[in-house]
Amino acid sequence: MSRRRGAYLGPLTSLRFLAAFHVLLFHGAREWLWRPFLRAPEWAQGLLATGYAGVGFFFVLSGFILSYTYRGRLDGARERREFWRARFARVYPVYALGLLLFAPIELLGGRPGTVAPSALSCVTLTQAWIPAFALRWNTPGWSLSVEAF
């Protein structure tokens, strides 16, 4: 499947990076940089505190870029199948690596009786649809659950 040739979307891809970075800073300021975060200027604290908004912006912009890039290229079942195969092959291996890296934490600290069901929901990308499992194992992975839907 070839990509559509058209206007250069580099600046929009850069905005996606900034949105993802904003979300990273939002979590990092709360988890890893708490003391410096508290000493940051008020405008910086306000900016970092709105990092959650970057998730929605990232999703909308990503959807637009995918729609633009593949417009008119996914008319047949074969093309759609190839598109989804390529998306899965690009995203899922890194996601699975994240699950493996977080496995020791979850296995040692997980709630008894829920480790296996929550693992299954994460492997099948359905964790965001089960509130108790949404933030288990690889916490940021909930967003891929939404994307898969």
Side-chain angles (χ1 to χ4, degrees), residues 86-142:
R87 290 293 295 161
F88 183 84
R90 181 176 183 190
V91 174
Y92 198 82
V94 175
Y95 171 76
L97 176 63
L99 288 178
L100 288 175
L101 292 174
F102 279 91
I105 296 167
E106 186 65 31
L107 292 171
L108 294 174
R111 287 165 253 149
T114 65
V115 172
S118 65
L120 180 62
S121 72
C122 288
V123 169
T124 60
L125 293 171
T126 57
Q127 72 271 33
W129 309 109
I130 306 166
F133 298 161
L135 300 178
R136 300 276 300 271
W137 294 80
N138 180 358
T139 302
W142 73 265

Side-chain angles (χ1 to χ4, degrees), residues 1-7 9 67-73:
M1 168 176 18
S2 63
R3 291 189 172 218
R4 179 186 182 279
R5 301 278 184 218
L9 297 179
S67 297
Y68 178 83
T69 301
Y70 291 100
R71 179 182 58 181
R73 307 295 295 176

Side-chain angles (χ1 to χ4, degrees), residues 19-74:
F21 190 65
H22 192 201
V23 173
L24 179 69
L25 288 177
F26 170 72
H27 289 294
R30 290 182 161 196
E31 300 296 328
W32 307 298
L33 307 172
W34 187 248
R35 289 180 191 201
F37 173 71
L38 291 176
R39 290 190 299 265
E42 190 174 330
W43 66 266
Q45 290 183 33
L47 179 66
L48 292 175
T50 61
Y52 60 87
V55 174
F57 181 68
F58 181 87
F59 277 146
V60 169
L61 194 52
S62 294
F64 172 79
I65 291 171
L66 282 170
S67 297
Y68 178 83
T69 301
Y70 291 100
R71 179 182 58 181
R73 307 295 295 176
L74 303 175

